[in-house]
Amino acid sequence: MFVDEAEVHLRAGRGGDGHVGFRREKFVPKGGPDGGDGGKGGDVVLIGDENTSDLTQFRHSPNLHARNGDEGHARDCFGHAGTDLVILLPLGTIVFDAETERVVTELTQHKQRVVLLYGGKGGKGNLHFKSSTNRTPQQNTPGLPGGEGQFKLVLKTIADVGLVGYPNAGKSSLTNCLTEARPKTAPYPFTTLHANVGIVHYPERYERISMADIPGLIEGASENRGLGHEFLRHIERCRLLLIMIDMAGTDGRDPLDDYKFLLAELKKYSPELPKKPTMVAANKMDEPAAVDNLKRFKKKFKKVTLWKISCMTGEGLDELKEELRVQVRAEQMQTVSA
């Protein structure tokens, strides 16, 4: 099961207590204090990881904590620091404070490291309390508690290309054809219930791009109907949107209306989404009805460049695959130069 939301309780380690001790050696009958400090508690560390796909790890482990620091020891020895709790999160994860709903951090780059909660400081041993008037101090201080909190994790998929379309438009089929991802396909709405991210390889160029098969969109998604915001949030960070149109008009749909409503839903959710670089693929061109619908589409939307494809026969897939590479690389170069 793909999990793109999770609420977790995280706690950093407590610092170890300081030690009360005195030197007890042969020929040193009145040794002074030698109690060491307690070790620092472990931190809670988040690391962005491109090989982690979702938040499934928290489904059965919603409470996690770092190790406490050890107590100080005799002979001025400090206690061992507690082991950090290191959590690998998929790229695109936003961390919210569950109580205030404030964004705490975002993980967008591979190996990005964020210390979310710091471990408590270790307590002081009695060595620190020695003075001219107190040669045998019995004082020490306890370790301090580490940071603690309830957090909500929300995954917004990061991919080069985001496939946008209504159910049965052929997004999952295209993903099967172009990438190593293997989402299930079937002729009914909401076949895809979560974002599948696959990799499109270009072995002759030693390049690759990532493509996200986003759950099928319906009218009213911007108002959180159906999969609603669970769908729309996954496309916010894609470099390029590939709008899939069922040009054959399966289930009595009109491809022209589908295209118009898709743009409208994207704009309602975020005015910035329609401004993203966009390509439009006319799928199911192997079916007779698609030919007439394509003529109507071109007449209505004269400025839209269409890529005619058929996931069934393979028509136009090589050309589309190459154009996706060109467009993504252009966006990457523009981002670097900016």
Side-chain angles (χ1 to χ4, degrees):
M1 176 181 288
F2 181 91
V3 178
D4 58 3
E5 278 193 19
E7 188 162 321
V8 293
H9 185 268
L10 302 175
R11 176 169 56 83
R14 183 185 185 89
D17 295 339
H19 183 73
V20 176
F22 299 91
R23 292 179 62 188
R24 291 293 183 266
E25 302 175 27
K26 191 175 183 180
F27 307 120
V28 187
K30 296 183 179 180
D34 67 352
D37 295 348
K40 174 184 172 296
D43 299 331
V44 175
V45 181
L46 309 180
I47 296 181
D49 179 38
E50 62 185 9
N51 298 312
T52 302
S53 60
D54 67 0
L55 305 173
T56 305
Q57 59 179 309
F58 303 106
R59 190 176 178 205
H60 300 294
S61 301
N63 299 290
L64 299 170
H65 57 85
R67 290 285 301 274
N68 296 332
D70 290 341
E71 180 184 346
H73 303 285
R75 298 189 179 184
D76 302 340
C77 293
F78 284 20
H80 289 292
T83 305
D84 292 341
L85 171 63
V86 178
I87 301 174
L88 300 181
L89 293 175
L91 303 187
T93 301
I94 303 178
V95 182
F96 295 87
D97 184 302
E99 294 184 1
T100 65
E101 297 187 354
R102 178 179 61 88
V103 175
V104 179
T105 189
E106 299 183 46
L107 296 169
T108 59
Q109 299 178 353
H110 183 53
K111 294 186 178 181
Q112 178 184 352
R113 187 178 188 275
V114 176
V115 180
L116 181 65
L117 297 170
Y118 287 92
K121 187 177 181 180
K124 293 183 178 180
N126 68 334
L127 176 64
H128 292 275
F129 299 95
K130 178 182 178 181
S131 68
S132 59
T133 58
N134 187 5
R135 298 301 182 91
T136 58
Q138 298 290 332
Q139 302 101 311
N140 70 328
T141 58
L144 298 178
E148 186 173 2
Q150 191 79 11
F151 299 93
K152 183 178 181 180
L153 310 178
V154 177
L155 173 60
K156 290 186 177 181
T157 303
I158 289 184
D160 295 315
V161 180
L163 293 179
V164 181
Y166 284 111
N168 295 336
K171 303 184 307 302
S172 296
S173 296
L174 181 65
T175 304
N176 282 334
C177 292
L178 297 186
T179 79
E180 296 176 342
R182 290 294 178 265
K184 296 180 180 179
T185 60
Y188 52 86
F190 303 116
T191 300
T192 306
L193 297 179
H194 54 76
N196 289 294
V197 180
I199 302 299
V200 184
H201 291 278
Y202 300 85
E204 68 283 357
R205 295 180 177 273
Y206 300 99
E207 295 182 26
R208 67 179 194 171
I209 63 174
S210 57
M211 187 166 69
D213 169 18
I214 309 295
L217 185 62
I218 65 170
E219 290 92 338
S222 59
E223 301 170 4
N224 208 21
R225 296 177 187 169
L227 296 177
H229 293 170
E230 295 182 25
F231 154 81
L232 290 163
R233 70 164 179 250
H234 282 285
I235 65 177
E236 288 186 89
R237 292 180 177 171
C238 296
R239 298 179 185 274
L240 170 72
L241 301 184
L242 176 59
I243 296 179
M244 293 281 291
I245 301 295
D246 175 3
M247 200 55 71
T250 305
D251 299 328
R253 303 190 66 90
D254 187 337
L256 282 69
D257 288 340
D258 282 357
Y259 181 67
K260 181 174 65 175
F261 285 131
L262 277 169
L263 294 182
E265 289 298 328
L266 294 176
K267 187 175 183 179
K268 287 178 184 177
Y269 179 73
S270 170
E272 300 301 316
L273 286 182
K275 297 179 183 179
K276 283 182 174 288
T278 303
M279 294 173 58
V280 182
N283 191 26
K284 304 185 182 180
M285 291 306 301
D286 55 299
E287 300 186 21
V291 177
D292 293 334
N293 287 334
L294 181 63
K295 293 178 181 179
R296 293 173 50 236
F297 192 98
K298 287 184 175 181
K299 186 176 180 180
K300 176 70 174 180
F301 304 104
K302 297 179 181 179
K303 296 183 179 181
V304 175
T305 301
L306 284 172
W307 295 87
K308 297 185 292 183
I309 66 171
S310 169
C311 294
M312 180 67 69
T313 66
E315 173 190 351
L317 294 184
D318 289 341
E319 293 80 0
L320 177 65
K321 178 180 177 181
E322 176 59 20
E323 185 63 21
L324 289 173
R325 185 193 68 82
V326 172
Q327 294 289 344
V328 167
R329 290 292 171 256
E331 286 301 310
Q332 289 176 333
M333 294 299 295
Q334 185 174 346
T335 301
V336 172
S337 61

